[in-house]
Amino acid sequence: MPDRAQQPVDRQLPTDEARDLISLARDIAQREIAPRAAEEEDAGIFPREVFTLLSRSGLLGLPYDSEYGGGEQPYEVYLQVLEELAAARLTVGLGVSVHSLSCHALANYGTKQQQVEHLPAMLGGGLLGAYCLSEPASGSDAASLRTKAVRDGEDWVIDGTKAWITHGGIADFYTVMARTGADGARGISAFLVPGDAAGLSGAVPEKKMGMKGSPTAQVHFDGVRVPDERRIGEEGQGFAIALSALDSGRLGIAACAIGLAQAALDEAVAYASGRQQFGRPISDFQGLRFMLADMATQIEAGRALYLAAARLRDAGRPFAKQAAMAKLHCTDTAMKATIDAVQILGGYGYTADFPVERYMREAKVLQIVEGTNQIQRMVIARHLAGPEAHRTG
Ligand SMILES: Cc1cc2nc3c(=O)[nH]c(=O)nc-3n(C[C@H](O)[C@H](O)[C@H](O)COP(=O)(O)OP(=O)(O)OC[C@H]3O[C@@H](n4cnc5c(N)ncnc54)[C@H](O)[C@@H]3O)c2cc1C
């Protein structure tokens, strides 16, 4: 049976260094991540040591400045590394994407002093981050969040509950959006909170449909005190910072989705080539050949879409509309491709003996996180017909 090692994705990469990074990611994926994925996902085990290895290998801070321990790679390279990791195990690919998201605020809006003090440990020092925007009563309408930060002398005191936090309860640092002013988007500020802060606690992780190895939990802030030095950006700038992080983060989700879809396609092709019915491989039947052809076409289209958005970002041009399109298309593709992969494997596809049933359960979450696909359509439409159409072209 062909496996991913024999049929690597044919990638267009800008440099030799980028090619080496992809090889390194594939090597770690095949040696350290894929072999344990099924068993650990089944048992709900988070592979913390894999993230330490990725950090040591320079893969946990790829899109950030080398001055602070990042890899200084173009986004198009970082995303293709993510794709390779997600193809081996979504918990790892998505975890790296969320970690990157949680570094975005400090790396882009922090003061020089804050960056010098905190970024090296976050980007290459083995720490793992979490991004805290959602709350039990505010998801898509994130600007209605209620977690409060109140000024007390030189400190801020944070109270409230964040919901659905990837790495909640196990993260070393939390980038937290909290209300410091009036209702609405302009009353929100961003804070960098250490994972061991007094009063911060993670709840029991949610029991999820998939990605059971990735802890998703509420995080409680009960009088958590942080110095003003840990406020990122201006007071009231937190929501703009959160949205800017999400524009980039959505591309990470898109890349993870294509990795997952590619893994499903590889499984389906391998199975269809080996399984005989009516005296011939089922891959001979046009009904299945067309399914495989459609899957491959949608995956290539998704990869091209997220890379086009990444290249706009790398060129310093607006990319929010394209990022929303990439997130929408790639995650819908992952859902469809994983459902079709189960169909191609027939009854075996419906069992845990093959990974495609897990892929199908995992794909669903990608249509929900970092803005549901309904919200992506709202963002795209706003760029086409709303006030932003004139600002971003
Ligand atoms: C596994 C997992 C990990 C996550 N990780 C994180 C994390 O690390 N950090 C974090 O902050 N959050 C995280 N989230 C939260 C995620 O971003 C939210 O679940 C998502 O934004 C949707 O919010 P909600 O679940 O409250 O749904 P709701 O906002 O209540 O939406 C419910 C339904 O209504 C639809 N809807 C809402 N408003 C509109 C509208 N205006 N037009 C059309 N349809 C609409 C939605 O599309 C959805 O179908 C995670 C979620 C999951 C499941």
Side-chain angles (χ1 to χ4, degrees):
M1 291 211 314
D3 66 14
R4 294 185 48 73
Q6 291 153 346
Q7 296 191 326
V9 172
D10 187 15
R11 301 188 183 281
Q12 285 187 349
L13 293 159
T15 58
D16 287 342
E17 191 187 7
R19 269 182 282 283
D20 290 346
L21 283 168
I22 295 289
S23 298
L24 177 64
R26 287 180 61 78
D27 189 47
I28 292 176
Q30 278 159 21
R31 273 190 303 108
E32 308 290 340
I33 302 175
R36 302 153 47 186
E39 203 178 315
E40 289 190 352
E41 283 302 323
D42 200 34
I45 296 171
F46 180 68
R48 181 64 181 87
E49 66 289 353
V50 166
F51 287 83
T52 306
L53 173 66
L54 292 173
S55 180
R56 270 203 217 114
S57 310
L59 298 181
L60 218 48
L62 277 183
Y64 293 108
D65 283 359
S66 53
E67 186 186 351
Y68 300 115
E72 195 118 16
Q73 288 300 306
Y75 225 64
E76 65 162 310
V77 174
Y78 156 66
L79 292 179
Q80 294 190 77
V81 166
L82 264 192
E83 196 194 311
E84 293 288 348
L85 298 175
R89 186 171 175 187
L90 188 61
T91 284
V92 174
L94 192 103
V96 172
S97 183
V98 168
H99 174 80
S100 262
L101 183 72
S102 65
C103 297
H104 182 98
L106 193 66
N108 291 283
Y109 297 88
T111 62
K112 179 93 186 159
Q113 197 186 337
Q114 287 175 320
Q115 291 173 345
V116 168
E117 190 169 341
H118 302 293
L119 265 184
M122 291 160 64
L123 297 180
L127 299 190
L128 187 65
Y131 173 86
C132 299
L133 180 62
S134 306
E135 297 185 357
S138 77
S140 302
D141 182 14
S144 66
L145 65 82
R146 290 192 201 143
T147 294
K148 261 195 175 167
V150 175
R151 189 80 194 233
D152 182 23
E154 287 304 298
D155 295 341
W156 292 89
V157 179
I158 306 176
D159 282 284
T161 296
K162 292 292 176 181
W164 307 110
I165 303 308
T166 301
H167 307 151
I170 62 154
D172 300 300
F173 63 92
Y174 294 79
T175 294
V176 180
M177 267 50 75
R179 189 160 300 287
T180 52
D183 286 352
R186 296 210 173 138
I188 296 168
S189 302
F191 297 88
L192 180 68
V193 181
D196 60 359
L200 185 157
S201 59
V204 175
E206 308 291 346
K207 290 193 170 132
K208 304 197 297 295
M209 181 190 293
M211 288 230 314
K212 297 178 187 208
S214 172
T216 310
Q218 289 196 349
V219 178
H220 303 300
F221 295 82
D222 186 8
V224 173
R225 189 172 279 274
V226 289
D228 188 48
E229 188 273 322
R230 281 182 172 268
R231 177 175 45 79
I232 306 170
E234 301 299 322
E235 260 180 70
Q237 200 187 2
F239 195 67
I241 293 175
L243 290 193
S244 130
L246 284 177
D247 283 341
S248 296
R250 281 169 186 160
L251 287 175
I253 302 297
C256 287
I258 291 303
L260 186 66
Q262 183 71 52
L265 173 62
D266 290 352
E267 279 292 324
V269 169
Y271 184 86
S273 308
R275 172 73 171 172
Q276 300 256 338
Q277 289 294 283
F278 301 99
R280 46 212 282 221
I282 59 172
S283 61
D284 278 4
F285 300 124
Q286 193 180 59
L288 292 198
R289 294 178 80 77
F290 281 11
M291 279 173 84
L292 292 169
D294 285 347
M295 287 162 79
T297 304
Q298 291 304 313
I299 290 168
E300 285 288 351
R303 187 174 289 122
L305 191 54
Y306 87 63
L307 284 174
R311 286 171 187 145
L312 283 176
R313 186 188 187 279
D314 289 331
R317 293 177 49 192
F319 66 98
K321 178 180 73 177
Q322 289 80 358
M325 288 173 165
K327 199 271 181 183
L328 171 63
H329 175 86
C330 295
T331 61
D332 282 356
T333 293
M335 193 73 254
K336 174 90 168 64
T338 54
I339 288 174
D340 287 350
V342 170
Q343 189 69 18
I344 289 168
L345 268 71
Y348 294 102
Y350 199 64
T351 70
D353 293 343
F354 289 85
V356 289
E357 64 85 29
R358 172 164 59 88
Y359 296 162
M360 189 179 114
R361 288 184 286 106
E362 290 177 340
K364 186 64 217 170
V365 80
L366 299 171
Q367 296 178 306
I368 295 171
V369 292
E370 297 197 23
T372 66
N373 283 3
Q374 285 77 26
I375 296 302
Q376 304 309 320
R377 288 183 174 89
M378 283 170 54
V379 171
I380 296 162
R382 215 162 38 221
H383 281 272
L384 297 174
E388 276 141 29
H390 305 293
R391 275 196 271 131
T392 60

